[in-house]
């Protein structure tokens, strides 16, 4: 899918910057104490882009950590590049010294470490808030001395002292990072604020300098905490899986063990109401399982022996014993977390546009500020003090914070909102692109249909067969079918569910059916071809077969030496939600096309039932590829919906590949751009609606930020804008775009997808 993955402000987020991954890379984590904003993240990323051999970068701004994937020989160069731009990168060793031992993005994370960090993070936030409140009080004191005290040397010195204390308390980190940025010729927000506040202080506006720095720091803290909501919407997934499991020991005892220590194949016990700690298959017990945390399904699913369960889902009604099938680090939930967090590093097209715009905008306004300071005393007769003051106001307005933050918070919120619905979107580029889809090509089996053949009809050839005779025929067919591993035979055995007779001399004939001896008589369960080869077909039987075959059913015939006794019709039934889902897509202006390797008659029958007009049957994988290319040429942006394995070429060719049935399927996770965890087609329409809403919010935020900047830019030059107003405009705009982006987290699901359980209806009759 590489041809579709485009590469890739003050906020807290987890960002990954893919560069060029290689199999020889190892991961090293560093704590960078001065990195708590996207301005610093951008500085470090640009510095590291010049270091050859780096595979990927993963930033966790809330924890102030950076994970670098690179060969060991490259890591010292990376650390040196970070140091040259003014930051210290302290290695985090396995024991957690220097930071924390495992990243939240590591699926096998250490829970206790995460809790320790959250506790420390809370303490740091509390300390910083106390310091900022004190700075605000000192700033207010400086203002009061300026306005209420008769001008004197003593009061001026006292006011300046209060202002210096306020600036030191609120702006120490800003000054430290701003001076480092200026030394390296970078015009980030810290550099702009450092110059603006220092300049205001030097021209005698020290009360305003103090208040501006205090208000800026407080607004920055509020903004960072607000953006944390989007990050936490993803990281809250980690709380879904328990930290320990009740594991059966070799001596038969049940003991609690950390999930990281539970091996594949272990037997774990689950009480009603508990969350499933690890992926596995039920070995004993029957219960309803709430899969909403993983698949987004609105109704519980009945599970019994042999059924799969996924970590993070909830056992509801009865005790279960589960045989684990994956380690904690490779569970479905862990892979969801990993996929979503990786997706945050994919820079969406709008985000790349904003980055390019900000890279031009900030230097342009900085040059405008210099021009105002130098030229307006000559051109407009302003005093030098007034000219310098207006130039400093322009510096604050030049901060691109609101503009730069407008896109990532919206993208992360959109990705998190999708994940809550059981839709994994592997990058902002795909989140944005989904709105452009004109046509969706859907594989039939497992996508539109349930993907599991079911018995839909059982008929006696003798129209006068009574109930006793009909029951005998079912038992004979069930006895033969139960001995076979063929999907059609399994469907017949499941559907009839009759007490089996002993079968001797059993044999399976490839491409024909099965045979055996029951109660001393020979029987076969044969397909149409074998019955013809045996010379036991007739026009009447042909007529009955034609009815079922035209309906897209596979037919097996129960045959004795005397002739054909009964008919079993098996079909892959359409999912209950498929027809409504196709109608939803049509309502959104998206055309649905069916692609399948099945014969044309079966394909047309299923398509008609689902409401799909265009059908392509008898397709090999390379044929599907050709159809996708044709759809792209005819309609434009085309999506492919399949299982992520057999449809891999078509998924890769399509503009967006959707994999159905992602729960527990590694290949589907890796092959597709978007994974629908619960197999239900209505999620496709939800994805498109979410994409359209995210795109709208992105441009609302960009427009809002640009308009506010433009208004205050004009006020600063021609009106009476103050530094206070500039700070309120900048940080107010930042908070507005943050909270507007966070609205995507509260986007309601426009339809609930209910799980439909129960046995299929089977037509049993003795007449045609």
């Amino acid at each position: 899918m590489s041809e579709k993955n485009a590469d890739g402000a003050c906020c807290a987020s987890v960002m990954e910057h893919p560069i060029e991954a290689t199999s020889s890379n190892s991961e090293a984590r560093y704590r960078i104490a001065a990195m708590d904003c996207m301005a610093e993240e951008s500085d470090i990323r640009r510095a590291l882009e010049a270091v050859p051999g780096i595979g990927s970068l993963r930033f966790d701004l809330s924890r102030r950590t950076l994970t670098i994937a690179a060969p060991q020989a490259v890591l010292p160069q990376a650390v040196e590049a970070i140091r040259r731009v003014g930051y210290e990168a302290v290695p985090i060793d396995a024991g957690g010294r220097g930071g924390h031992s495992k990243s939240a993005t590591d699926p096998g994370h250490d829970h206790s470490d995460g809790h320790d960090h959250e506790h420390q993070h809370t303490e740091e936030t509390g300390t910083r808030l106390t310091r900022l409140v004190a700075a605000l009080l000192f700033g207010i004191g400086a203002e009061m001395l300026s306005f209420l005290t008769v001008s004197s040397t003593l009061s001026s010195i006292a006011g300046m002292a209060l202002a210096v204390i306020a600036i030191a308390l609120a702006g120490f980190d800003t000054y430290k990072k701003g001076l480092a940025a200026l030394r390296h010729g970078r015009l980030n927000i810290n550099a702009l604020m450092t110059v603006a506040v220092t300049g205001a202080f030097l021209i005698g506006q020290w009360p305003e300098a103090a208040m501006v720095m205090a208000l800026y720091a407080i607004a920055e803290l509020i903004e960072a905490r607000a953006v944390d909501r989007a990050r936490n919407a993803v990281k809250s997934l980690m709380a879904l899986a328990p930290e320990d499991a009740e594991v059966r020991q070799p001596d038969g005892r049940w003991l609690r063990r950390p999930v990281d220590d539970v091996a594949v194949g272990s037997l774990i016990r689950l009480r009603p109401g508990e969350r499933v700690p690890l992926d596995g298959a039920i070995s004993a017990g029957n219960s309803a399982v709430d899969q909403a945390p993983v698949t987004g399904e609105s109704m519980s699913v009945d599970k019994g022996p042999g059924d799969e369960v996924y970590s993070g889902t909830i056992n509801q009604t009865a005790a279960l014993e589960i045989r684990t099938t994956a380690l904690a680090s490779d569970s479905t939930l862990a892979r969801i977390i990993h996929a979503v967090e990786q997706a945050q590093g994919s820079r969406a097209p709008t985000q790349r546009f904003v980055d390019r715009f900000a890279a031009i905008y900030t230097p342009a306004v900085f040059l405008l500020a210099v021009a105002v300071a130098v030229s307006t005393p000559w051109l407009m007769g302003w005093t030098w003090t007034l000219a310098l003051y207006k130039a400093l106001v322009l510096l604050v307005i030049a901060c691109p914070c609101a503009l730069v933050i407008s896109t990532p918070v919206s993208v992360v919120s959109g990705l998190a909102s999708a994940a809550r619905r059981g839709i994994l979107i592997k990058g902002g580029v795909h989140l944005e692109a989904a709105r452009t889809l004109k046509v969706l090509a859907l594989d039939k089996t497992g996508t539109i249909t349930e993907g599991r053949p079911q018995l839909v009809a059982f008929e006696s050839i003798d129209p006068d067969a009574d109930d006793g005779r009909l029951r005998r025929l079912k038992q004979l067919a069930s006895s033969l079918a139960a001995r076979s591993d063929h999907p059609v035979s399994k469907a017949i055995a499941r559907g009839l569910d009759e007490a089996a007779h002993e079968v001797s001399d059993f044999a399976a004939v490839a491409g024909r059916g099965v045979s055996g001896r029951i109660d001393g008589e020979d029987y076969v369960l044969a397909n149409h071809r074998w019955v013809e080869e045996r010379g036991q077909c007739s026009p009447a039987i042909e007529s009955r077969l034609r009815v079922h075959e035209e309906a897209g059913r596979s037919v097996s015939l129960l045959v004795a030496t005397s002739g054909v006794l009964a008919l079993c019709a098996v079909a892959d039934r359409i999912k209950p939600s498929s027809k409504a889902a196709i109608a939803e897509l049509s309502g959104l202006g998206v055309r649905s096309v069916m692609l399948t390797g099945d014969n044309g008659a079966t394909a047309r029958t299923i398509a008609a039932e689902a409401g799909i007009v265009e059908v392509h049957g008898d397709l090999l994988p390379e044929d599907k590829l050709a159809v996708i290319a044709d759809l792209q040429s005819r309609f434009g942006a085309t999506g492919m919906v399949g299982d992520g394995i057999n449809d891999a070429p078509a998924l890769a060719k399509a503009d967006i590949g959707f994999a159905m049935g992602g729960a527990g399927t590694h290949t589907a996770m890796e092959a597709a751009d978007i994974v629908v965890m619960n197999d239900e087609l209505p999620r496709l329409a939800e994805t498109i609606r979410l994409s359209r809403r995210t795109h709208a919010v992105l441009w609302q935020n960009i427009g809002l930020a640009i308009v506010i900047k433009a208004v205050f830019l004009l006020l600063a030059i021609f009106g009476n804008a103050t530094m206070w107003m500039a700070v309120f405009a900048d940080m107010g705009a930042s908070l507005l775009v943050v909270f507007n982006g966070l609205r995507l987290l509260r986007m309601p699901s426009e339809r609930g997808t209910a799980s439909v359980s129960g046995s299929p209806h089977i037509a049993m009759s003795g007449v045609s």
Side-chain angles (χ1 to χ4, degrees):
M1 313 296 288
S2 61
E3 71 271 22
K4 293 178 291 182
N5 290 339
D7 54 12
C10 299
C11 71
S13 67
V14 180
M15 297 293 292
E16 179 160 329
H17 179 64
I19 301 178
E20 183 106 19
T22 67
S23 58
S24 61
N25 289 345
S26 59
E27 286 197 346
R29 292 184 65 236
Y30 300 90
R31 180 170 173 81
I32 304 175
M35 182 187 72
D36 59 2
C37 168
M38 280 194 68
E40 289 86 37
E41 184 247 335
S42 296
D43 292 341
I44 294 169
R45 183 164 66 234
R46 281 195 296 269
L48 292 177
E49 282 175 348
V51 179
I54 292 180
S56 67
L57 307 175
R58 191 163 62 244
F59 292 86
D60 187 341
L61 301 182
S62 66
R63 296 172 183 258
R64 302 184 185 185
T65 63
L66 167 63
T67 302
I68 302 176
Q72 285 291 336
V74 174
L75 295 176
Q77 301 174 43
V79 173
E80 177 60 23
I82 294 171
R83 189 193 63 77
R84 283 199 301 269
V85 293
Y87 301 92
E88 291 297 324
V90 180
I92 300 174
D93 63 23
R97 291 180 293 277
H100 297 284
S101 61
K102 295 186 180 181
S103 169
T105 57
D106 175 9
H109 65 283
D110 184 332
H111 293 272
S112 61
D113 177 75
H115 294 325
D116 290 343
H117 169 77
E118 293 302 331
H119 180 66
Q120 177 186 343
H121 186 60
T122 302
E123 286 186 346
E124 288 178 356
T125 301
T127 302
R128 186 180 178 191
L129 182 60
T130 301
R131 191 172 72 247
L132 295 183
V133 170
L136 185 62
L137 293 176
F138 280 110
I140 292 172
E143 286 282 4
M144 292 177 65
L145 282 175
S146 174
F147 285 110
L148 301 179
T149 307
V150 178
S151 178
S152 67
T153 303
L154 183 61
S155 63
S156 296
I157 292 174
M160 291 175 66
L162 291 177
V164 168
I165 294 172
I167 292 171
L169 288 172
F172 178 79
D173 290 338
T174 300
Y175 263 89
K176 183 179 177 182
K177 291 181 284 190
L179 292 172
L182 290 170
R183 281 199 305 271
H184 294 88
R186 301 190 311 275
L187 294 178
N188 62 21
I189 177 58
N190 296 306
L192 296 176
M193 287 300 299
T194 297
V195 173
V197 171
T198 302
F201 192 92
L202 292 178
I203 64 174
Q205 298 292 333
W206 38 265
E208 193 163 348
M211 288 297 293
V212 163
M213 183 59 82
L215 290 171
Y216 166 76
I218 290 173
E220 188 181 42
L221 180 63
I222 295 171
E223 177 193 299
R225 299 286 72 77
V227 176
D228 275 346
R229 285 187 57 193
R231 173 184 56 89
N232 290 333
V234 175
K235 291 194 175 182
S236 63
L237 289 170
M238 292 186 295
L240 295 179
E243 297 179 21
D244 53 38
E246 193 174 12
V247 186
R248 187 169 184 175
Q249 305 302 302
D251 60 6
R253 293 181 301 149
W254 293 90
L255 295 177
R256 289 256 167 211
R257 290 284 182 263
V259 291
D260 291 339
D261 297 338
V262 179
V264 173
S266 299
L267 191 65
I268 61 176
R269 185 166 65 183
L270 204 63
R271 295 181 175 86
E274 290 185 325
R275 289 187 182 270
V276 178
L278 296 158
D279 287 3
I282 296 174
S283 61
N286 292 273
S287 181
V289 177
D290 178 3
Q291 299 192 134
V294 173
T295 67
E297 290 171 288
S298 59
M299 295 182 64
S300 299
V301 180
D302 292 333
K303 299 273 188 175
D307 290 333
E308 289 185 321
V309 290
Y310 310 117
S311 61
T313 58
I314 306 167
N315 177 32
Q316 292 191 313
T317 56
L320 294 174
E321 291 184 9
I322 300 166
R323 185 73 64 182
T324 63
T325 56
L327 297 173
S329 59
D330 198 35
S331 69
T332 298
L333 183 62
R335 286 184 283 117
I336 290 173
I337 295 167
H338 188 63
V340 174
E341 291 192 335
Q342 278 192 322
Q344 296 177 39
S346 174
R347 302 176 80 77
T350 305
Q351 189 171 349
R352 293 195 299 274
F353 161 77
V354 167
D355 289 345
R356 291 193 298 268
F357 181 85
I360 299 170
Y361 163 81
T362 303
V365 179
F366 186 86
L367 291 175
L368 177 63
V370 172
V372 167
V374 174
S375 63
T376 51
W378 305 99
L379 299 176
M380 302 181 68
W382 292 355
T383 65
W384 286 101
T385 300
L386 178 61
L388 284 172
Y389 181 79
K390 286 186 176 290
L392 295 174
V393 173
L394 284 174
L395 288 184
V396 177
I397 294 174
C399 168
C401 200
L403 196 58
V404 173
I405 201 175
S406 64
T407 48
V409 69
S410 300
V411 169
V412 172
S413 296
L415 293 171
S417 181
R420 288 176 171 179
R421 293 165 168 75
I423 305 167
L424 295 187
I425 303 176
K426 297 165 71 174
V429 62
H430 307 306
L431 175 62
E432 279 205 62
R435 71 183 178 83
T436 66
L437 290 175
K438 303 299 182 184
V439 59
L440 274 175
L442 302 106
D443 180 47
K444 179 183 75 68
T445 305
T447 301
I448 297 172
T449 65
E450 294 177 345
R452 191 174 78 160
Q454 299 182 61
L455 182 67
V456 294
F458 182 88
E459 301 173 2
S460 170
I461 297 300
D462 178 6
D464 298 323
D466 58 18
D467 290 343
R469 176 62 176 167
L470 191 61
R471 179 175 175 79
R472 167 70 177 172
L473 294 176
K474 291 183 199 175
Q475 290 175 343
L476 293 172
S478 180
S479 299
L480 290 169
R483 296 289 301 274
S484 173
D485 288 330
H486 193 279
V488 172
S489 293
K490 287 183 175 181
I492 293 171
R494 280 195 310 269
L496 294 175
D497 194 25
E498 292 288 344
H501 290 268
E502 193 68 35
V503 180
S504 60
D505 301 329
F506 178 83
V509 182
R512 302 293 189 274
V514 297
S515 64
R517 192 172 182 81
I518 301 175
D519 297 336
E521 189 171 349
D522 293 326
Y523 295 94
V524 298
L525 193 60
N527 61 15
H528 188 178
R529 179 189 301 175
W530 197 9
V531 174
E532 284 187 335
E533 292 173 352
R534 289 168 61 97
Q536 294 177 296
C537 214
S538 68
I541 292 174
E542 289 279 0
S543 176
R544 298 178 70 162
L545 287 172
R546 193 176 304 115
V547 171
H548 291 289
E549 289 173 349
E550 288 178 353
R553 299 169 178 175
S554 298
V555 182
S556 297
L557 299 164
L558 177 64
V559 184
T561 306
S562 58
V564 178
L565 304 177
L567 174 154
C568 305
V570 170
D572 185 6
R573 299 168 65 91
I574 189 172
K575 293 178 182 176
S577 60
S578 292
K579 185 173 182 178
I582 299 301
E584 278 190 275
L585 290 170
S586 179
L588 291 171
V590 179
R591 182 183 182 92
S592 298
V593 177
M594 180 191 287
L595 310 184
T596 180
D598 280 355
N599 65 76
T602 300
R604 286 189 293 274
T605 299
I606 296 295
E609 191 176 351
I612 297 175
V613 176
E614 185 172 343
V615 185
H616 299 267
D618 298 303
L619 299 178
L620 297 173
E622 55 267 30
D623 298 326
K624 291 184 179 181
L625 196 64
V627 174
I628 292 294
D630 176 63
L631 292 172
Q632 288 172 323
S633 66
R634 285 194 288 145
F635 299 104
T638 300
M640 172 66 194
V641 188
D643 61 11
I645 303 171
N646 298 329
D647 301 311
L651 285 167
K653 176 65 176 175
D655 295 280
I656 296 182
F658 292 82
M660 306 297 286
T665 306
H666 291 262
T667 308
M669 278 274 200
E670 295 164 3
D673 304 311
I674 299 175
V675 181
V676 179
M677 299 300 293
N678 73 343
D679 294 353
E680 293 295 337
L681 284 183
R683 299 302 188 199
L684 302 177
E686 284 195 42
T687 302
I688 294 170
R689 283 194 295 265
L690 178 62
S691 174
R692 292 178 180 180
R693 185 170 182 186
T694 300
H695 182 76
V697 169
L698 283 171
W699 284 101
Q700 287 169 12
N701 283 347
I702 292 169
L704 187 65
I706 290 176
V707 167
I708 291 176
K709 291 288 184 183
V711 168
F712 278 87
L713 192 67
L714 294 174
L715 285 175
I717 297 176
F718 302 109
N720 198 25
T722 65
M723 286 187 70
W724 281 52
M725 293 170 63
V727 168
F728 276 120
D730 178 68
M731 301 313 296
S734 296
L735 292 175
L736 283 174
V737 300
V738 166
F739 288 119
N740 192 40
L742 291 176
R743 288 192 302 119
L744 292 168
L745 291 174
R746 301 191 299 273
M747 178 178 171
S749 178
E750 297 191 30
R751 70 170 281 137
T753 302
S755 299
V756 179
S757 57
S759 301
H761 173 72
I762 302 172
M764 300 288 188
S765 69
V767 294
S768 58

